[in-house]
Amino acid sequence: MSGLGAFWGLYKREVVKIYRRAFALVMTFMQPIIWIIFFGSSLNGMPREYLVQFFGTPNYIGFVLPGQLATSMLSTGTFSAMSIVWDRRFGFLKKILVTPAPREAVFFSKVAGAVTRGLVQVPVMLAAALAFGVALPLDPVGYLEWIAALMLLGIGFSSIYLAVAMKSSDWQHPQLVANVMNLPLMFTSTALFPRTFYPAWMRAIADVNPITFATEIGRGVVLNDPYTPTLLGYLAAFAAASMAIGLLVARRFMTAE
Amino acid sequence: MNGNAIEVLDLVKRYGNVTALAGVTFSVSRGEIFGLLGPNGAGKTTTIKILTGLTPPTSGRAYVAGFDVVRQPNEVKRRVGWVSSEVILDDDLNAWENLELQARLQGVRNWRERATELLKYFDLLQSAGRPVGGYSTGMRKKLEIATALLHSPEILFLDEPTIGLDVNARAMLWDLIRTVNREFGVTILLTTHYMEEADALCNRVAIINLGKIMALGSPAELKSSVGGEVVELEIERPVDLSALKRLPDVLDVAASDGKIRITVRKADETIPAIVKSLDFSAVKSLKVEKPTLDTVFMKLTGKRIEESHVDYRRFYAMIRRSRR
Ligand SMILES: Nc1ncnc2c1ncn2[C@@H]1O[C@H](COP(=O)(O)OP(=O)(O)OP(=O)(O)O)[C@@H](O)[C@H]1O
Ligand SMILES: [Mg+2]
């Protein structure tokens, strides 16, 4: 199948670009690590009972690590959007579309590239958490489920952002979209704070926000707190729906000009 | 597959209320080097975009390698190569990686062999492992042509192939284009606004302006269509022109303030007869004006091609620098 070959070629390109631009990669690690450093340091002096009362655990880095990892998957959206906008701007998209490669292959390669880039953050963040003294439990199945959750989250976000950027050739658009979307998505999830103290309207959003679902799965692993497998099902549905939207938009709007 | 490599029938393309192509008809035979010569905004790139399936025409028909570009775009895309006017390569990838991507997009098996052959041929094998971002303009152009040839296309579209190149690189590329045409047996449609380029490379040229083809033919045909070559004599004193006017190859004689302009079919062959037909001791200087494709363009449009064309060379160099 020529579509598969085209996908593989395009995906390889995305991966090569990730490690040839190592500086950009390192910078994407920095943000979540900085979060952990400052979040950790600023709560260090807080009495244990307050922490337990507020976070439900004295291990606040363990609490925020899954939230940060889930939030960091928002970066996959920015990556994929940026990648298609640059390809359009520098004409590379024309070079692809002048071949018989199907548009779907281009779409999937961008999603897969962005998710790969997003997932590279996982081991780095886990290592950083270990370095900060978080005791990570040994639970292989749990980690696999967690990584699957992050992957589905990444597929969902990168598909949607890609759809939004499909027609754009303005390199500022992805950043603008990210600025408008990322913070609200983070704050209306349980990534940073437990939902218990949210007002009703925020709780309602948090309960459908996919970041919440990936966060809760991660927390289940790190804090050894059982969670229901349906969380993963919800994320799968989110990823599938976003991908369907993204594919429709790609078929319709991925043109050379 | 028999028939012409390219067949274009009354092609129209509108962008909003801009008419990029206003009914263009031409055909290109197999094995030909065909040129579209015209100034900025003439519709050259638009024509290529339609013929490579990058954009649909507003109306009209186009067949490439025997397939309808609108109905069978993938059949067309498998059989054509395209080199853009701005070099499009991935600067983060090296030559091998750029070629591999192209191979996978085109579904070329055993691409390494073909790629090695092309890199060797284009003298790029030594630098093939380096990221393309560090290549010179000429090297980038060559690599882009190599990627376009990787899947052995029947037809190669070259959009302004030598724009932004210095004189040496241009001469090198001209040779390359000729050999690609001859040795790889590839039909070539190229666009240019350099009349010498069209003259030197093309079997036939279509002069295009404002989305319309103004003239079409071999460079020699086009040039002779403007009415032959001019021998201009500067004279010290009036001379008798009656014998000159009777010469069979002289088409026209015009005398004015110390100058005689003699229009002939072939100056090289007629000059001896001209010298004999008048008192040549009165002649101070002799000048021959051969028509160029620019003369043709000027006669058709009242403008010169190069005047109406911005030189993009420095502009592109600037863009490339800012990309790094
Ligand atoms: N995507 C587009 N949107 C709107 N107008 C366009 C588009 N592409 C081309 N045009 C217009 O169509 C006309 C023909 O453009 P085209 O690019 O084909 O010219 P060209 O002969 O290639 O010129 P150049 O020598 O500058 O490359 C121009 O007036 C141009 O502004
Ligand atoms: Mg052009």
Side-chain angles (χ1 to χ4, degrees), chain A residues 2 5-10 12-13 16-17 19-21 87 90-101 103 255-257, chain B residues 13 15 49 52-55 74 77-78 80 82 86 88-90 92-94 97-98 100-102 104-106 131 144 147 323:
Chain A
S2 80
F7 165 78
W8 183 241
L10 288 164
K12 255 180 116 169
R13 167 179 178 240
V16 170
K17 286 177 86 71
Y19 65 75
R20 291 272 155 82
R21 304 239 162 182
D87 273 359
F90 284 136
F92 212 86
L93 194 59
K94 277 189 267 180
K95 190 130 178 168
I96 297 168
L97 293 178
V98 87
T99 71
R103 278 152 229 265
T255 52
E257 49 199 18
Chain B
K13 177 73 184 182
Y15 290 104
K49 277 192 188 158
T52 52
L54 279 175
T55 190
N74 283 346
K77 287 172 180 182
R78 269 187 261 282
V80 304
W82 171 66
E86 66 277 64
I88 305 175
L89 293 164
D90 194 319
D92 290 337
L93 307 186
N94 61 35
E97 290 160 345
N98 270 289
E100 176 179 358
L101 173 59
Q102 182 69 16
R104 296 196 187 275
L105 290 173
Q106 281 285 0
E144 220 200 346
T147 54
R323 236 186 253 183

Side-chain angles (χ1 to χ4, degrees), chain A residues 257, chain B residues 13-16 18-21 38-49 85 159-160 163 191-193 208 211 309 312 316:
Chain A
E257 49 199 18
Chain B
K13 177 73 184 182
R14 286 192 205 94
Y15 290 104
V18 177
T19 302
L21 291 180
N40 280 144
K44 306 182 293 293
T45 300
T46 304
T47 308
I48 289 192
K49 277 192 188 158
S85 51
D159 198 357
E160 311 253 8
I163 199 163
T191 76
T192 183
H193 65 269
I208 181 169
H309 205 295
Y312 276 126
Y316 280 129

